[in-house]
């Protein structure tokens, strides 16, 4: 297991800054929490690893779910979320999400987010496992980009918030189970800095980049989970990774997401022999829960000896398709596919982390003054399988709650200037970190992917055990730091997946195919 810190450092020798809130990450969760904190009168520093817009939020296509339709209600949204989560959702967390969600979405609209409308008002679409049309979307298939645009605009205008880009958070500064701040590497100035805060919020996103095939941006290397775990926080549900069923699969092309909303508008899935197959797997056919669709696709791929299946929109109105999915239409055209006449080759890829840093409904982690929201956090709202388009909503709802919760911390805060240093000297090492990372990504896809076995998971754990030697060594740059974090987080996922001897939601074991009552519980790790 890793030590408490990734680098040699001594805070007494480093430049130090201080703010009320230190928020890590600039996606929907980080930016919305920053705005809420500033509205409550606090000053905020946001640290983000690359540019402000390099987030999973910015890439989100399908939309944001909220019970705003005439025939819809939070109770129906709750029911769908619980069914998709296969018995592992925290029901209070789900009630919080679905009942507070509509107001948070209205707030986004007041801030200037422009969602698509039709003659009835907001245009709502369906996605897998939703019983109602309740997904708001923007510019057709660029919902996340619209939300990111609006939040970024307001954050940039706000004098109480400063955003520091290219700041890679290396570790949390924790003593006696209280978080005092963070150690960050300024990638432009090439120096380590200390940021002290009264409230530290993790909103660093997910870990999709651990898998060779994924839909995530470069930043998604699991750093938030790794730094929290090293600092002693509890992490939960690490075995539950969501694979998206339909990601573009053309040799040489990026794994570009083909939104579930495409199936919501009526697209079919066909195997490589041209047969529509989802009707044989689930009553909701193409709109079955994501994990069901992924396994059906993998089965069809195996049966037909192909590495892909096809999304067929050719029976839909071409003008509607182009209007509704402009981004997908254009990207496919770049690869010589006209989606109004050609079927789109797709395969599953890693997409979302249901588990993460364990929090309660107020965003509190198991470490005092350390909070978490968005994909890095696990309040238990998604259970074993997230309902489509619930993730942007999760970032808004639980991000906002942190600010209400932390008011008392700001009032009662008494500064304590403690210094921190790495507790053991890390030695330099001459290892090709890039090669380790490449092997890890392939291994995660093959052994810790959508279908797992005890034998494969043990092979993965042997790999992590072997490379645990790197924890004793110093790193030279952020690329190497990412690899260390990926090794740690990959091991947590594989360890949890081996421990859970059943199949449930996003976790499927060929050697334990049944969903078992005795496993209706969470796996929690702490260093
Ligand atoms: C999609 O557009 O299919 C992704 C939506 C989501 O992951 O919630």
């Amino acid at each position: 297991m890793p030590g408490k810190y990734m680098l040699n450092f001594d805070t007494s020798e480093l430049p130090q800054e201080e703010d009320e809130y230190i928020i890590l990450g600039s996606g929907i969760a980080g930016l919305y929490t920053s705005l809420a904190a500033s509205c409550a009168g606090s000053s905020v520093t946001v640290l983000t690893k690359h540019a402000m817009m390099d987030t999973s939020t910015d890439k989100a296509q399908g939309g944001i779910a909220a019970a705003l339709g005439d025939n819809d209600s939070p109770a129906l949204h709750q029911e769908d979320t619980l069914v998709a989560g296969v018995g592992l959702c925290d029901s209070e967390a789900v009630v919080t999400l679905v009942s507070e969600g509509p107001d948070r979405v209205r707030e986004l609209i007041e801030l200037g987010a422009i969602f698509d409308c039709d003659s009835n008002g907001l245009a709502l679409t369906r996605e897998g496992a939703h019983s109602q049309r309740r997904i708001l979307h923007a510019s057709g298939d660029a919902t996340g980009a619209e939300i990111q645009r609006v939040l970024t605009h307001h954050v940039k205008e706000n004098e109480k918030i400063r955003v520091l880009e290219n700041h890679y958070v290396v570790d949390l500064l924790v003593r006696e189970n209280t978080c005092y701040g963070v150690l960050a590497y300024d990638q432009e100035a090439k120096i380590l800095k200390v940021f002290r805060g009264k409230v530290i919020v993790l909103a660093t996103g997910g870990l999709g980049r651990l898998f060779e095939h994924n839909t995530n941006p470069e930043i998604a290397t699991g750093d938030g989970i790794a730094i929290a775990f090293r600092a002693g926080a509890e992490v939960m549900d690490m075995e539950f990774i969501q694979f998206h069923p339909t990601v573009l699969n053309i040799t040489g092309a990026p794994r570009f997401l083909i939104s579930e909303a495409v199936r919501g508008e009526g697209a079919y899935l066909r195997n490589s022999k041209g047969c529509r197959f989802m009707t044989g797997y689930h009553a909701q056919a193409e709109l079955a829960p994501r994990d069901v669709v992924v396994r059906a696709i993998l089965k069809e791929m195996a049966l037909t000896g192909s590495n892909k299946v096809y999304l067929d929109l050719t029976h839909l109105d071409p003008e509607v398709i182009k209007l509704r999915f402009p981004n997908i239409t254009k990207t496919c055209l770049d690869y010589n596919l006209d989606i109004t006449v050609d079927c789109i080759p797709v395969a599953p890829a890693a997409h979302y982390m249901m588990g993460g840093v364990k929090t309660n409904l107020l965003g509190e982690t198991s470490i005092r003054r350390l909070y978490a929201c968005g994909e890095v956090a696990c309040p238990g709202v998604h259970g074993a399988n997230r309902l489509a388009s619930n993730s942007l909503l999760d970032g808004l709802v639980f991000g906002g709650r942190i600010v209400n919760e932390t008011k008392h911390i700001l009032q009662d805060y008494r500064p304590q200037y403690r210094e921190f240093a790495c507790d053991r000297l890390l030695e330099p090492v001459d290892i090709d970190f890039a090669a380790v990372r490449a092997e890890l990504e392939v291994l995660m896809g093959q052994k810790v992917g959508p279908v797992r076995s005890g034998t494969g998971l043990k092979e993965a754990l042997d790999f992590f055990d072997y490379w645990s030697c790197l924890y004793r060594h110093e790193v030279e740059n952020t690329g190497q730091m990412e690899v260390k974090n990926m090794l740690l987080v990959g091991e947590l996922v594989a360890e949890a997946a081996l421990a859970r001897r059943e199949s449930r939601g996003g976790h499927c074991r060929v050697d334990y195919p049944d969903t078992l009552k005795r496993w209706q519980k969470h796996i929690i790790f702490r260093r």
Side-chain angles (χ1 to χ4, degrees):
M1 269 290 124
K4 193 168 172 189
Y5 301 116
M6 155 128 82
L7 289 177
N8 293 320
F9 72 95
D10 182 341
T11 54
S12 65
E13 296 165 358
L14 298 175
Q16 307 213 4
E17 302 183 27
E18 187 162 3
D19 212 337
E20 287 187 298
Y21 281 81
I22 305 292
I23 297 187
L24 315 179
S26 59
I28 188 168
L31 295 190
Y32 182 77
T33 308
S34 313
L35 287 171
S38 73
C39 284
S42 293
S43 66
V44 181
T45 295
V46 177
L47 303 179
T48 190
K49 179 160 140 183
H50 290 171
M52 206 172 159
M53 310 283 274
D54 288 334
T55 65
S56 294
T57 299
D58 193 56
K59 283 182 150 232
Q61 294 182 8
I64 181 162
L68 291 165
D70 289 343
N71 299 322
D72 204 1
S73 67
L76 288 174
H77 190 181
Q78 175 190 350
E79 199 177 309
D80 293 344
T81 303
L82 292 173
V83 170
V86 206
L88 271 200
C89 295
D90 178 306
S91 48
E92 265 188 78
V94 175
V95 170
T96 305
L97 180 84
V98 300
S99 54
E100 296 183 11
D103 279 346
R104 294 292 82 75
V105 170
R106 285 187 199 102
E107 229 175 287
L108 271 187
I109 295 172
E110 277 162 28
L111 284 173
I114 301 170
F115 292 106
D116 297 333
C117 288
D118 57 22
S119 51
N120 300 318
L122 286 169
L124 301 172
T125 191
R126 264 189 79 185
E127 285 179 351
H130 284 272
S131 58
Q132 302 289 320
R133 295 182 81 89
R134 66 166 69 96
I135 322 293
L136 288 82
H137 44 90
S139 303
D141 52 5
T143 314
E146 173 61 7
I147 294 173
Q148 183 83 43
R149 177 191 72 76
V150 168
L151 294 178
T152 300
H153 168 78
H154 284 280
V155 164
K156 281 187 170 167
E157 297 261 289
N158 193 314
E159 286 180 355
K160 289 182 108 41
I161 307 175
R162 71 169 173 160
V163 179
L164 299 179
E165 296 183 318
N166 298 312
H167 276 64
Y168 182 91
V169 175
V170 179
D171 270 309
L172 298 169
L173 301 174
V174 172
R175 186 162 307 148
E176 286 144 17
N177 204 42
T178 301
C179 188
Y180 290 86
V182 307
L183 177 73
Y185 183 70
D186 177 341
Q187 300 178 80
E188 280 163 22
K190 300 201 182 330
I191 51 168
L192 284 171
K193 292 180 186 166
V194 174
F195 291 88
R196 294 182 183 271
K198 298 178 183 175
V199 176
I200 316 299
V201 182
L202 285 170
T204 47
L207 53 62
R209 285 280 166 156
L210 266 73
F211 294 83
E212 184 185 15
H213 300 305
N214 68 80
T215 63
N216 289 194
E218 270 180 41
I219 53 110
T221 51
D223 303 298
I225 295 171
I227 61 177
F229 183 78
R230 274 198 297 276
E234 290 179 344
V235 299
M236 183 166 96
D237 289 351
M238 292 299 295
E239 64 276 37
F240 294 110
I241 309 284
Q242 183 169 77
F243 291 79
H244 196 288
T246 57
V247 181
L248 187 65
N249 187 8
I250 299 178
T251 310
R255 296 281 161 152
F256 177 77
L257 183 77
I258 309 293
S259 175
E260 193 152 312
V262 169
R263 281 173 281 134
E265 297 295 343
Y268 298 144
L269 276 165
R270 297 189 185 280
N271 65 21
S272 61
K273 301 208 179 320
C275 299
R276 186 175 169 208
F277 55 86
M278 273 314 300
T279 44
Y281 286 91
H282 196 274
Q284 286 170 292
E286 277 81 1
L287 290 180
R290 251 177 217 178
D291 58 315
V292 176
V293 181
V294 165
R295 286 193 292 277
I297 290 176
L298 293 175
K299 192 157 176 198
E300 290 297 314
M301 282 168 32
L303 287 174
T304 57
S306 173
N307 68 350
K308 52 182 80 108
V309 295
Y310 293 85
L311 256 179
D312 180 3
L313 295 79
T314 57
H315 54 289
L316 304 175
D317 181 339
E319 291 316 309
V320 174
I321 292 176
K322 283 191 256 179
L323 200 68
R324 182 67 185 78
F325 303 112
N327 200 19
I328 295 173
T329 305
K330 184 188 163 307
T331 303
C332 287
L333 265 183
D334 291 345
Y335 296 96
N336 212 18
L337 280 177
D338 175 352
I339 66 170
T340 63
V341 293
D342 301 317
C343 290
I344 313 173
V346 291
H351 182 58
Y352 187 84
M353 171 84 217
M354 268 76 73
V357 181
K358 183 177 183 297
T359 68
N360 62 14
L361 301 190
L362 303 168
E364 285 178 293
T365 70
S366 56
I367 294 179
R368 269 187 299 278
R369 298 211 266 122
L370 177 67
Y371 290 75
C373 55
E375 192 173 347
V376 69
C378 183
V381 75
H382 305 304
N385 180 38
R386 174 177 62 88
L387 187 67
S389 287
N390 266 357
S391 51
L392 292 171
L393 195 68
D394 163 8
L396 282 182
V397 168
F398 291 101
R401 291 189 131 233
I402 288 177
V403 174
N404 291 332
E405 158 65 12
T406 45
K407 279 180 193 145
H408 72 274
I409 291 190
L410 298 178
Q411 281 158 11
D412 302 344
Y413 181 78
R414 301 275 171 280
Q416 285 174 301
Y417 284 94
R418 293 170 176 236
E419 298 296 353
F420 294 81
C422 185
D423 44 6
R424 55 180 178 171
L425 190 65
L426 303 170
E427 304 286 347
V429 65
D430 185 16
I431 292 279
D432 182 350
F433 279 79
V436 176
R437 176 174 175 157
E439 197 174 333
L440 177 150
E441 290 169 0
V442 172
L443 180 91
M444 288 297 288
Q446 288 177 352
K447 311 291 181 197
V448 199
V451 179
R452 302 158 172 176
S453 70
T455 321
L457 290 167
K458 282 184 193 142
E459 279 176 47
L461 285 168
D462 284 345
F463 170 88
F464 291 118
D465 192 37
Y466 179 82
W467 285 112
S468 63
C469 61
L470 286 183
Y471 296 142
R472 294 196 302 271
H473 293 291
E474 180 64 303
V475 280
E476 285 174 358
N477 53 49
T478 50
Q480 296 186 353
M481 294 182 212
E482 278 179 338
V483 175
K484 270 198 178 181
N485 284 343
M486 291 166 86
L487 285 167
L488 170 55
V489 174
E491 182 173 2
L492 293 172
V493 175
E495 195 75 68
L498 183 65
R500 182 172 286 279
R501 290 196 291 274
E502 65 155 359
S503 293
R504 184 187 294 269
H507 169 71
C508 172
R509 288 276 301 257
V510 282
D511 43 354
Y512 294 98
D514 298 328
T515 303
L516 303 175
K517 186 100 189 80
R518 68 170 181 273
W519 270 106
Q520 194 169 352
K521 58 187 175 188
H522 300 280
I523 296 175
I524 299 172
F525 290 141
R526 192 172 65 185
R527 178 172 162 270

